Amino acid sequence: MSRKGSRPVPLTHGGEAPLSHTAGLWRTTYGGRDHVFKVQLNLDAVRDARFHPLKQQILQRCLRAGVPVPLAVPTRAGEPMARRNGHVCELIPLVAGTGSAHSTSAQAQAVITTGLALRSVLDALPRELVLGMATIPLPALVDEPDWRFALDDDVDRLLPVARARGDSWGRIARDALEGLALARPLLARARTELMAVPASRLRIIHGDLHHHHFLFGADGRPDVVAVLDFDNLTVGDRLLDLAWVAETSGRVRGGARALRTTMDSFLSQAVDRGLLARGEARLLMPLLIAQAVPVVVDIAKDILERDLLSPAWTGYLELLDTRRRLALHQLLSTAASDETDLPRPRTEHDR
């Protein structure tokens, strides 16, 4: 990084800071182009040094396959990041694009196409990359990372506290916890399948494909011009990425008909690409809800027990809204029941 740039200023989209609780993001120029200077501020979230070369290899494979991902500018030593006082620092080209919490039908289709293309790339990664990533744990940034204990112990304990609290923060925590309580029967039915993940589904996953991480063309085109934030790459259930793609594309405008059309398209394309097998659609939202349980519970603890009242909590709780996912589960299950003899997804390891 030898070419001088401008003094960084906080990055904003539409006047608001990006939704991030572990990293700081600043806008700067470098070599005459706009870039994002990203610093991992929370040292607990910093990944093992082995992670970054693996991440770089994965991003390069995504680019070669046509999945748009921004690559960090290498340091003078050729590394994709630098460390300063334990903090990981990256300089990433700023992509001219826009995010959308509620997409048009065309944008929703672009999310499906790009998200499934990404999943195909990750499924085809060579075994040595998967084995290397499997040795690098994902940092646990919550009190109780096991969704079963967080759901069974903390929700029951925190709900009465939230209901007894009369202010707006109490209502925010109550609504989130009541949503998790509504999901308890679904998670109980899927509990065994969620915990006993077959080896065929253990792959490198992005793990965080929400709507903040898809950028559409700034010129009004619905194309996805960038998929962002691969910092949570890990080895896990590959269905989680498919669940995120379904949820993100399910934020489509146009009411029930547009949503049904979008989910039909998601299922059809996922099956046609060999990414989704018979019976797996009913696991997507349970997986996504289970992933969110520890985070939602931790935010509720911040509100109710630690009195940490961050404006960001409402954004996270909207992102992780359990009721929306329960409704989407019903729609996906109904749509999938119309399918017949779905194939088993094939990966590079099957060839």
Side-chain angles (χ1 to χ4, degrees):
M1 302 179 188
S2 59
R3 285 177 288 177
K4 293 183 178 180
S6 65
R7 183 183 297 275
V9 297
L11 180 69
T12 60
H13 290 297
E16 296 184 2
L19 196 64
S20 175
H21 66 290
T22 61
L25 301 169
W26 290 268
R27 184 171 184 157
T28 188
T29 58
Y30 172 75
R33 289 188 57 193
D34 287 332
H35 284 71
V36 175
F37 182 55
K38 179 177 180 179
V39 181
Q40 194 63 262
L41 298 175
N42 184 343
L43 291 178
D44 291 334
V46 172
R47 305 294 296 271
D48 186 285
R50 296 168 297 158
F51 171 78
H52 300 282
L54 294 177
K55 171 186 166 184
Q56 190 77 348
Q57 290 182 57
I58 292 169
L59 292 177
Q60 289 168 344
R61 287 176 178 270
C62 288
L63 278 176
R64 289 198 294 269
V67 178
V69 295
L71 286 178
V73 177
T75 67
R76 290 174 181 168
E79 300 295 331
M81 58 82 191
R83 288 182 185 267
R84 293 293 183 272
N85 300 322
H87 299 279
V88 171
C89 308
E90 297 173 284
L91 187 64
I92 305 166
L94 180 67
V95 179
T98 60
S100 178
H102 302 286
S103 59
T104 66
S105 292
Q107 288 173 331
Q109 290 300 321
V111 166
I112 293 171
T113 301
T114 304
L116 295 183
L118 171 60
R119 189 57 254 163
S120 293
V121 174
L122 298 180
D123 278 344
L125 291 175
R127 185 171 179 79
E128 58 267 24
L129 271 180
V130 180
L131 293 176
M133 191 65 74
T135 66
I136 304 172
L138 194 64
L141 301 177
V142 293
D143 281 349
E144 177 50 73
D146 191 313
W147 66 267
R148 297 167 298 173
F149 298 128
L151 185 65
D152 293 342
D153 297 336
D154 292 322
V155 170
D156 290 338
R157 177 175 58 82
L158 292 170
L159 249 180
V161 179
R163 287 169 174 161
R165 183 165 168 167
D167 65 351
S168 61
W169 283 107
R171 290 191 292 274
I172 289 169
R174 180 201 66 201
D175 288 347
L177 293 169
E178 286 179 345
L180 294 184
L182 287 173
R184 198 189 304 255
L186 174 63
L187 294 179
R189 290 194 298 272
R191 189 181 185 114
T192 300
E193 291 174 289
L194 295 180
M195 301 307 300
V197 181
S200 61
R201 295 208 320 251
L202 287 175
R203 296 288 184 267
I204 291 177
I205 62 173
H206 180 287
D208 208 20
L209 290 171
H210 56 69
H211 68 88
H212 292 277
H213 292 158
F214 287 89
L215 290 184
F216 303 105
D219 56 1
R221 292 179 295 112
D223 314 51
V224 172
V225 296
V227 182
L228 305 176
D229 199 350
F230 284 71
D231 290 342
N232 286 326
L233 282 170
T234 189
V235 172
D237 193 333
R238 59 181 297 282
L239 293 184
L240 184 61
D241 280 347
L242 297 177
W244 271 117
V245 173
E247 206 257 10
T248 300
S249 62
R251 289 172 165 268
V252 64
R253 305 172 205 158
R257 177 177 294 183
L259 178 57
R260 177 59 187 262
T261 299
T262 300
M263 288 302 98
D264 286 346
S265 179
F266 163 76
L267 287 171
S268 175
Q269 292 186 54
V271 170
D272 288 347
R273 295 186 69 135
L275 298 173
L276 195 64
R278 186 176 181 84
E280 289 181 340
R282 63 184 174 81
L283 293 176
L284 298 183
M285 289 306 109
L287 269 169
L288 207 53
I289 295 169
Q291 183 200 37
V293 168
V295 180
V296 173
V297 165
D298 222 49
I299 292 173
K301 288 180 180 178
D302 280 342
I303 294 171
L304 300 171
E305 296 181 340
R306 304 172 186 128
D307 203 33
L308 299 175
L309 308 179
S310 170
W313 295 159
T314 55
Y316 281 110
L317 293 176
E318 192 283 329
L319 180 69
L320 306 174
D321 181 37
T322 307
R323 290 178 177 84
R324 183 178 63 246
R325 293 172 175 184
L326 288 172
L328 200 55
H329 172 74
Q330 185 63 39
L331 185 58
L332 282 168
S333 299
T334 301
S337 67
D338 297 333
E339 303 287 345
T340 58
D341 297 324
L342 302 186
R344 183 178 75 85
R346 297 181 69 243
T347 70
E348 185 70 19
H349 302 269
D350 298 320
R351 300 184 183 108

